[in-house]
Every structure is written in structure tokens, then in C-alpha cells.
Amino acid sequence: MAQDGSDWSLEPRGRLQIDAGWVDADPAVEAAANAVTPGGLDADIEVRRAYLGVDGKMPGNLGFRIEGEFAAPFDGGTVTWTDAYLYWDAAKNLRVTLGNHKPFWGLEELTSDLFPSMAERAAINTAFGNERRVGLSAAYTTGDVLLQGGAFTDDLDSLLGNNDRGHSFDGRVVYMPKLGGGQLHLGGSAHIRSFDDPASIRYSVRPFIHNADTKFANTGSITGATGEASYGLEAAWLKGPLHIAAETRWQHVNRTAALVEPTFFGGYVEAGYFLTKGDGRRYKGGTFERVKPVKPLGKGGIGAVQVNVRYDYLDLVDGPIVGGKQNGYEVSLIWTPTSRTRFIANYGRMEYDQAAIAVGADRSYGVDAFGMRAQFDF
């Protein structure tokens, strides 16, 4: 809705995601998991995300987004900030942003959680502590090249609670030409973070679904950390109903003198295909965008139906740090009745080696994870 002319506008925004899921495991594995996290594998339903906010535009090519996360109160938590930033479109191909927003990690992480190929992102994007942070950044596009970079402190809630502990520099380069009648995406990113004082840091991941609290891949507390450095590569190609994507990331922990500095690694490769004629994944500005069914429900069709498969790898073992290795074999079915509604069903077979939770003397075993999601946004 416009206010006082075309230079001013205000648009409400929000999303709701309801998840259900469970993990099936051998009784011995379940017993060992329950000894660490009681009920951590049980079937559960949760409000995964509940965002409310507003987008605004102002004179001078200025705009803002203010948005809060309201899912936590359903579990007895508090409302937290997600996006809270001001931006300036300094030129047609240059945007400068100040506030709480995402640094530049990679393709899947920067793609909105409204448009994933699975209900949860790959392990490299959930294990390594990716989160919005307060900072100043810029994004510049020239031809088929996108350059993004910024300096960041900590997330807004930590700053407000005087719990911030450091700063980082983040950058990303993307090459995105047309190729073979489709869209090619090649990119790389870097994240360099320093802590004000030596701290403890932990990397861990749930078994494919967020409902499960048990973490079979878990480094535990790595003490004496003075910072971290990560480097990632990303690639994708999409044409018509088909998309292919892959990413890798190395995560290095800087520590105080005489302490071993581990480097962890992970990556994924996935492919997806739309079964409904004319539908396909969309891409813009270095990320995947909203799917818009050619024939949405209620307008002559059933919407868009998509199947996806993914291999998801994470290695949290290096030197004295034995957090486990995860091999995930995952599949999803996504129904998008309209551009603003979505339903996801996914399954993952998660195989662990040197797992953080021992089953007797055994640390090599597997579990099956099942998940479903219903969502809408505006």
C-alpha cells in the first residue's frame, strides 16, 4: 500500500511453516541416543518458522525490512530478530545494506528457506553456525558477475544482550551466464571471523530433520578458539524442469598456542525434476527464487510437483576432535499448489562413522529420518 506518493510504500510480510517428523533407529541406537538426549528421536510436531514483518521503501532509493521470528514462544522461548536492515540502491547494479542480515555463505544458504529442495538445508549449512549478523555490506553486479562483501559483528539479539564476541569479513563471487539453453551458476565464498577473547565453539547437526534433538554428528565444545575461517565452492545448472546443484565447504578453527587447529569439511550434490508440464525452478541474482506454477490449484491445474534427490556429506573428524562423519542419502517430494503455499515430504537414510554417540563400543550405524512440512507466506 502506497503512502504519500510513489516514493513511499509499506508492505506486510510473513510466513508460517509447520513441521512433523520422526527418526527410526535400531533399539540399541535409540537407547544410546535417549541416554544423551531423552526423547530426542521421538515423533514431534513443531512450528518451524513463524515470521512477521514489513518491507518499506522511502525517497532517495532507500528501503528497509524489519522482521521477527515468533516460532520460539510456542516452545517457551522469546521472540527473536531475523532481518532488520536498511538498504540503499546507490545505482541500478549496486545495493548497500546496513543492519541484521545474512552474510554471504553460499547458494543454498542465501536461497530463502521458503524455496528449498528439502525441508532442511544440507549439513554444511546447518552445522557451521550460519546466522544473520549485524553489519555493513554491498552487492555489485556487472554483466554475468555478482560481487558481494561485507563486515559483520554478531547477531542483533546477542548485541542487544551484550553477548557479542567478535567480528567477521565475508565475501562471495558468482559467475552466472546462460549455457546450453539453461542457467549456469558458479561461485565461491569466504568467511573470516575473529573472537574478542578466546571462546568455546561447537559444530553439530541433527539427523536431516529439525524435530530431532539428538545430534549424532557433534564436535562437542572446542575450547580456546580465537576465530574461524571457512571457504566454499558452489555450482548449479537449471533448464526447464531440471536443476542440478552442488556445494562444498571447509571450516577451520583458529585456536590459542599449542592447541590443535582442526579443519572440517562437507558438501552435497543434488538434482531435482518437475513432473508437471511447464514448471521449473527459478533463479535470480545468485539464488534460487520462488516457484510459480504454470497451472496453480484453482486455475485449471494442481500446481507444481517436484522430486529431488541429494547426497549430503559432513566430516567433523580431525586430529583429537572426533565429532563423526555423516553420509546422507535423501529424497523429497514437493507440491506447490500456488506460489504462496507449499507441502514437502522427505526421507533420509543417515549413515554415521565415528559418531559422537557410542552404541556400546560401536560408533558406526545408521538411522532413518522422515519429515513433512506445510507452509504459506505473504
Side-chain angles (χ1 to χ4, degrees), residues 216-234:
F216 296 105
N218 186 347
T219 63
S221 180
I222 302 174
T223 59
T226 59
E228 61 184 7
S230 67
Y231 308 93
L233 297 173
E234 56 196 82

Side-chain angles (χ1 to χ4, degrees), residues 4-349:
D4 300 329
S6 59
D7 286 339
W8 288 88
S9 69
L10 204 62
E11 190 76 24
R13 58 182 284 113
R15 71 191 65 176
L16 179 65
Q17 295 176 333
I18 307 294
D19 285 9
W22 70 96
V23 175
D24 185 45
D26 181 89
V29 174
E30 186 173 350
N34 282 331
V36 176
T37 311
L41 303 182
D42 292 350
D44 193 18
I45 298 176
E46 67 169 340
V47 178
R48 180 67 177 92
R49 294 180 180 92
Y51 292 2
L52 284 175
V54 63
D55 282 335
K57 291 185 178 180
M58 302 177 289
N61 294 325
L62 293 170
F64 64 88
R65 174 174 294 177
I66 301 175
E67 188 174 64
E69 162 66 274
F70 291 83
F74 290 93
D75 294 322
T78 59
V79 175
T80 60
W81 293 105
T82 54
D83 288 324
Y85 60 77
L86 174 73
Y87 67 84
W88 174 41
D89 287 330
K92 183 178 180 180
N93 55 352
L94 174 63
R95 172 171 289 191
V96 179
T97 304
L98 174 65
N100 199 57
H101 61 292
K102 284 186 176 182
F104 308 110
W105 294 294
L107 173 61
E108 190 188 44
E109 181 62 37
L110 291 178
T111 294
S112 170
D113 53 52
L114 290 170
F115 321 132
S117 56
M118 307 278 171
E120 295 298 325
R121 293 183 172 98
I124 57 170
N125 290 316
T126 55
F128 293 147
N130 297 343
E131 63 180 358
R132 292 169 173 84
R133 295 191 172 103
V134 175
L136 175 66
S137 72
Y140 175 74
T141 304
T142 174
D144 293 330
V145 177
L146 169 66
L147 303 174
Q148 299 170 302
F152 297 85
T153 55
D154 221 316
D155 67 277
L156 181 56
D157 290 301
S158 293
L159 292 176
L160 293 174
N162 293 318
N163 295 320
D164 58 304
R165 53 182 190 173
H167 61 275
S168 70
F169 297 96
D170 295 77
R172 181 177 182 239
V173 178
V174 175
Y175 179 52
M176 44 187 180
K178 299 293 183 179
L179 179 68
Q183 175 69 58
L184 177 66
H185 170 103
L186 298 173
S189 61
H191 162 74
I192 310 296
R193 188 182 186 194
S194 297
F195 297 139
D196 295 332
D197 299 297
S200 296
I201 195 167
R202 176 193 302 265
Y203 303 120
S204 61
V205 66
R206 292 176 168 88
F208 188 44
I209 59 172
H210 190 265
N211 306 75
D213 292 329
T214 301
K215 297 178 179 180
F216 296 105
N218 186 347
T219 63
S221 180
I222 302 174
T223 59
T226 59
E228 61 184 7
S230 67
Y231 308 93
L233 297 173
E234 56 196 82
W237 184 73
L238 58 160
K239 179 182 179 181
L242 173 69
H243 90 272
I244 302 169
E247 293 187 71
T248 60
R249 182 161 291 277
W250 293 262
Q251 187 88 0
H252 179 78
V253 181
N254 299 316
R255 304 176 79 189
T256 53
L259 293 176
V260 174
E261 297 187 341
T263 299
F264 307 116
F265 173 77
Y268 73 89
V269 57
E270 72 174 38
Y273 193 84
F274 281 82
L275 303 179
T276 44
K277 186 177 180 180
D279 291 315
R281 206 164 190 190
R282 300 170 70 240
Y283 175 94
K284 182 180 179 182
T287 65
F288 291 117
E289 288 289 301
R290 182 183 303 276
V291 172
K292 295 183 178 180
V294 172
K295 294 183 178 181
L297 190 68
K299 295 186 178 181
I302 63 168
V305 178
Q306 179 189 15
V307 292
N308 301 281
V309 293
R310 181 169 69 190
Y311 169 66
D312 189 7
Y313 178 73
L314 182 67
D315 181 352
L316 296 181
V317 178
D318 191 20
I321 309 298
V322 183
K325 298 180 180 181
Q326 175 182 286
N327 287 276
Y329 306 92
E330 304 159 2
V331 60
S332 71
L333 176 66
I334 301 178
W335 176 37
T336 307
T338 71
S339 63
R340 297 285 179 173
T341 54
R342 211 170 204 221
F343 299 89
I344 302 175
N346 51 217
Y347 161 77
R349 174 63 183 179

